[in-house]
Amino acid sequence: MIRSGSSSRTTPRPPHGSSTALESSLADAAERVQLAEQRTAELQAHATAAQQRAKDQLAKLGEATKQAQARAQQAEREREETRKRADEAIARWHAMRGRTGTLLTGHCVIDAATGQQAAAVAATTVRFGTPSEREIAAYVASGEPLAVAGAFTLDGRGGWFVDGIDGDHGNVLGVSLPLLRRLLASLGFGVTELWA
């Protein structure tokens, strides 16, 4: 105890070496605070990076969703177009069955060397059979009449529903070979010259 003057007051003395211990404790605490601050900064950096990855993934997901929606809309448009063509094919078969129609096909041959050309139209009469509603529905469901002009083919499933033709069957298929031979001859070419 230390006494001073008339009053007696006691001031505790730090034990020997205790200021060094206090300084050491303060240094340890400061180091722990610094480590905690570093760890907090690292965690914040990881959190920021994770947020950015999440945003990137969300953007990719959003783009993928937009693309999927666009594909779904395109598929729906195609389904609607197919339904429309199917309805048209059914209506056409209702109009054609049991009747006769004349198919006209234009042909043109051009001599590339001289520029001369020869053109003509071939006509073939088609006598359609009388398929039942079930047969028409099945034929249209096959897809064949949706992919060809006139909603029928002679050389495919539609041939079952054609009773006969008058004229060149090739004209119905797309090219009248007899007419093409005559057009080539009018330009001075024999068809056998093309075989070589």
Side-chain angles (χ1 to χ4, degrees):
M1 272 214 243
I2 302 173
R3 289 183 195 207
S4 134
S6 64
S7 69
S8 102
R9 188 172 66 156
T10 325
T11 304
R13 279 190 186 180
H16 180 64
S18 65
S19 74
T20 304
L22 181 61
E23 288 171 2
S24 176
S25 291
L26 288 175
D28 287 345
E31 186 177 332
R32 283 194 299 272
V33 166
Q34 185 179 14
L35 288 173
E37 287 172 348
Q38 287 175 352
R39 184 64 182 146
T40 300
E42 289 172 4
L43 291 173
Q44 285 175 337
H46 286 297
T48 302
Q51 282 178 324
Q52 187 58 49
R53 285 192 302 274
K55 286 179 184 177
D56 292 346
Q57 290 299 322
L58 189 57
K60 288 178 186 177
L61 180 60
E63 184 59 31
T65 301
K66 286 179 189 175
Q67 290 173 0
Q69 288 171 339
R71 285 192 298 271
Q73 290 169 349
Q74 178 63 28
E76 182 55 36
R77 283 190 296 271
E78 289 171 5
R79 280 191 295 276
E80 184 58 36
E81 182 61 29
T82 299
R83 282 191 290 273
K84 181 180 173 188
R85 288 195 332 260
D87 290 344
E88 290 169 357
I90 289 169
R92 183 175 287 241
W93 267 99
H94 286 157
M96 295 186 308
R97 72 176 163 189
R99 294 197 169 112
T100 300
T102 302
L103 180 81
L104 303 172
T105 305
H107 295 67
C108 182
V109 177
I110 300 172
D111 182 341
T114 65
Q116 286 184 301
Q117 53 183 310
V121 175
T124 303
T125 301
V126 180
R127 293 185 311 279
F128 294 98
T130 54
S132 68
E133 290 296 323
R134 190 169 84 37
E135 288 171 323
I136 291 172
Y139 181 49
V140 170
S142 77
E144 182 181 274
L146 307 182
V148 295
F152 78 98
T153 61
L154 285 182
D155 58 343
R157 293 176 176 154
W160 292 94
F161 309 120
V162 174
D163 286 346
I165 64 167
D166 296 316
D168 178 20
H169 78 284
N171 186 50
V172 179
L173 300 178
V175 176
S176 171
L177 294 180
L179 178 56
L180 183 57
R181 181 182 54 79
R182 290 192 299 273
L183 294 174
L184 286 168
S186 73
L187 294 176
F189 296 97
V191 72
T192 56
E193 297 170 29
L194 301 175
W195 295 353

